[in-house]
Amino acid sequence: MIHAALLALNMVAAASTARPSPVETAIGAVYRMGGQTIGTYGEKRRVDASGNVITTIDSDMVFNRLGTKLELKSTDVYCESPSGDLLAVDSTSSSSRQPTVVHAVVAGQSIRVTTIAGGHSYDRRLSFQGSLAGPDAAKRQAVQRLRLAGDMFAYQTFSPQFGNVLTVSDTVVSANDAVEGTSAVKVEQRMSAMPAPSMMWLDASGWMVRQTMASPLGEIEALRLPAAAIAPAISAADIPSETFTRSIVTSNIRLPQQRMMQAITLKIIARNPSLGWPDFSAGNQTVLEKTPRYVVLRVRRIAPGAVTAAPEPAAAALQPFLTPNALLQSDDTEVRRIAGTVVKNERNPWKATLALQRWTAANMRFDLGISIVPASEVVNDRRGTCFGYSILLGSLARAAGIPSRVRIGLVYAGGIWGGHAWDEVRIGDRWTPIDAALYAPGPADAARFSVYTSSLDSGTLDGLGGLGQILGNVDIRILDYTVDGTTTAVPANAKPYSIAGNAYDNRWLGLSVRKPEGFAFAGLGAHWPQTMVVAMRAPDGREIEIHDESVSLPASTNDRNQLFKSAGISAAPASRRIAGHDVLIAEARNVRAVLLEYRGTIWLVKATGAHMQALVDRVVASMIVAHRVVGEPRS
């Protein structure tokens, strides 16, 4: 979203009647964030034999997402008539090995948009009122109309990243600024798709000198440099520091049985109320209170609707959720093959959905180096973020004749709230949320909320401004939650845990544990992507860690084995009973791990050091899981 917004901020246009100069012009810039160079920006302009103005914009940005390199690249080519009307846009973008190509042609008051991804081509038409124009017309309008503080103008343009027509408005903040020795006009630019404005500094010819935009990851700056200075700036740059953690929100408490949550009430508090609120409306979300400063939201886990043999009156309205598009490629050969193999002859759409959800969860693997990818790539590589999981499951559902759409918002996971994507499927008369990335069989849990729901017909970014109003801009407080039919209120002054002598108690997780004598409690502030809840360490280096591995429930036996491998143990686990409870135990040299499951919560107790068997068994025996005494009672 940040990548597309930066590009879109440089596409602008209100028509001008001045004939363009035939001289070719070009500028180059570097992207910076937190004082580090993260990429390059290039823009060049030429006039073709017909007098049309061709503007080419190249962008390449690299982010560090939790230690993994994520690269976002694009090339956009705009064709404008001599009078400044936008005629066509060609765009190629990628965040993985497979590019997506968008070709848009303006004809009258409509735009024919063709999107090509994974060898598949998809056409659609957009209608608009008024006129559209491109970057060159915007420069000429800026020179003519943005001269004094308060001067402004507005215009429309087509964004290939957002897949839609955007309205842009520019207002002069200062007419006499200077950037790197260049005299510039400082302009505030607002776009209809984005919640926050950007700042641009334009030279006397309307070219960008500097641009800044707030993002959930921190402020991103584009700074124009001489051509000779750009290559050294990039060659000296390493992969930037981790920044994605800035977009997550630490929860006031840890939730028990997070993937089984039946209902939750949240107070979402804005840090910058001027950004406004997104649309929280959804079938399982209810706004209880709304002010400019905060929103109180109730979310429920819902069951699928009743399946009837009679066709629904609104069946025609469901066609956008059954039709393949450039992301949800239900027409891909491999997607259709897998859907047929998994569903087989199952005629109940809910049972078919559960089979597809389980297959996706078991066969996909997380890869943080991938961002926006179509189903044709995901189904072959079987890697991606939550977005890749939702794209694959949604495409498989459509291939099986089950309407699907994607929801995007925030989810609770291991003590934090972070950006997430999941699916909804139409079962009977009801849209039912379902998740393959943070897996639990059946409807998605209530520990999440969405700000955007779409068939993705126009692409991923259209409508994502709502996520920009939330990411990096809110604090979230859990007011109450319901699990196993019991509702628990969370007081405003609630402590996340307590320690008394040798006992650690987390009433919210239903976890109590006693540490061995001579050990000290540690690691108390960890949260996702770490799974550790509490650790116990001895001066001689021995250590016992307790991990909550319930962020996603196991979809297969292999998932449980993977938990032991992540603890550094490759040996197959064996079943045992400790204090009357069935557990799995695996051992390696000086490492012993115990896996304890209870009602949707998965605890992994890992001990490191010599002669730890008896100690770790006593720690497991002391644990109280989900308010049930597993071993000896606490003193």
Side-chain angles (χ1 to χ4, degrees), residues 90-362:
D90 285 289
S91 173
T92 302
S93 60
S94 68
S95 62
S96 60
R97 64 174 178 80
Q98 180 175 294
T100 296
V101 176
V102 176
H103 179 59
V105 178
V106 182
Q109 299 300 121
S110 70
I111 309 171
R112 180 178 177 179
V113 182
T114 301
T115 305
I116 303 170
H120 302 272
S121 180
Y122 306 89
D123 290 326
R124 61 190 178 92
R125 285 192 178 274
L126 294 174
S127 297
F128 65 94
Q129 299 294 319
S131 61
L132 300 178
D136 190 67
K139 293 180 180 62
R140 287 179 277 154
Q141 287 290 314
V143 171
Q144 294 172 17
R145 303 176 64 173
L146 300 179
R147 297 181 177 180
L148 302 175
D151 286 351
M152 67 88 63
F153 69 101
Y155 41 87
Q156 294 183 120
T157 190
F158 173 76
S159 163
Q161 281 75 35
F162 287 92
N164 217 330
V165 173
L166 305 182
T167 299
V168 185
S169 62
D170 287 347
T171 304
V172 176
V173 176
S174 172
N176 297 296
D177 267 23
V179 179
E180 300 287 322
T182 300
S183 178
V185 176
K186 182 180 180 181
V187 175
E188 179 187 78
Q189 186 172 85
R190 292 186 175 272
M191 290 184 7
S192 56
M194 301 298 294
S198 72
M199 290 294 174
M200 297 182 67
W201 285 259
L202 307 177
D203 67 15
S205 298
W207 289 82
M208 183 269 291
V209 179
R210 181 177 180 240
Q211 182 179 15
T212 62
M213 186 188 77
S215 83
L217 310 182
E219 184 177 82
I220 298 178
E221 174 192 44
L223 182 65
R224 194 168 91 192
L225 293 177
I230 292 178
I234 293 299
S235 63
D238 296 319
I239 294 178
S241 302
E242 159 60 30
T243 54
F244 272 81
T245 52
R246 297 180 187 175
S247 67
I248 68 174
V249 181
T250 303
S251 181
N252 56 324
I253 63 164
R254 281 183 175 264
L255 285 173
Q257 303 177 56
Q258 51 196 302
R259 300 286 70 93
M260 310 299 289
M261 194 61 52
Q262 295 167 317
I264 196 166
T265 305
L266 306 172
K267 187 173 185 178
I268 305 168
I269 305 163
R271 298 172 187 169
N272 180 6
S274 68
L275 296 183
W277 291 113
D279 183 6
F280 289 108
S281 62
N284 67 327
Q285 296 180 182
T286 304
V287 175
L288 303 180
E289 188 178 356
K290 184 178 181 180
T291 74
R293 178 65 179 165
Y294 67 86
V295 167
V296 178
L297 188 67
R298 181 73 171 170
V299 186
R300 298 173 295 111
R301 187 185 195 190
I302 61 175
V307 179
T308 61
E312 297 181 42
L318 295 178
Q319 284 307 306
F321 309 104
L322 284 165
T323 304
N325 59 47
L327 288 167
L328 292 165
Q329 296 175 316
S330 52
D331 57 342
D332 180 80
T333 301
E334 183 66 3
V335 169
R336 293 175 65 85
R337 185 193 69 79
I338 291 172
T341 301
V342 173
V343 172
K344 297 180 181 177
N345 297 320
E346 178 59 64
R347 299 181 64 84
N348 183 300
W350 180 237
K351 290 182 180 179
T353 298
L354 292 178
L356 294 171
Q357 179 202 25
R358 184 170 56 253
W359 185 93
T360 304

Side-chain angles (χ1 to χ4, degrees), residues 53 57 73-74 132-133 145 156 309 365 403 487 497 543 559 594:
V53 180
I57 297 176
K73 301 178 68 174
S74 68
L132 300 178
R145 303 176 64 173
Q156 294 183 120
R365 290 293 175 263
T487 299
Y497 59 85
E543 183 174 55
D559 288 340
V594 180

Side-chain angles (χ1 to χ4, degrees), residues 328 330 389-399 402 404-405 423:
L328 292 165
S330 52
Y389 280 72
S390 66
I391 287 298
L392 181 53
L393 178 55
S395 299
L396 291 169
R398 290 188 184 189
I402 303 165
S404 71
R405 60 191 187 187
D423 294 285

Side-chain angles (χ1 to χ4, degrees), residues 466-526:
L467 194 59
Q469 293 171 296
I470 296 294
L471 284 178
N473 183 48
V474 298
D475 295 306
I476 300 173
R477 189 158 66 84
I478 299 169
L479 302 182
D480 64 55
Y481 59 87
T482 303
V483 68
D484 281 343
T486 300
T487 299
T488 301
V490 183
N493 61 350
K495 294 181 179 180
Y497 59 85
S498 63
I499 293 176
N502 288 332
Y504 168 93
D505 183 75
N506 190 317
R507 58 168 296 200
W508 316 111
L509 285 176
L511 169 67
S512 293
V513 65
R514 294 184 64 84
K515 68 177 179 64
E517 290 292 341
F519 283 67
F521 286 115
L524 299 168

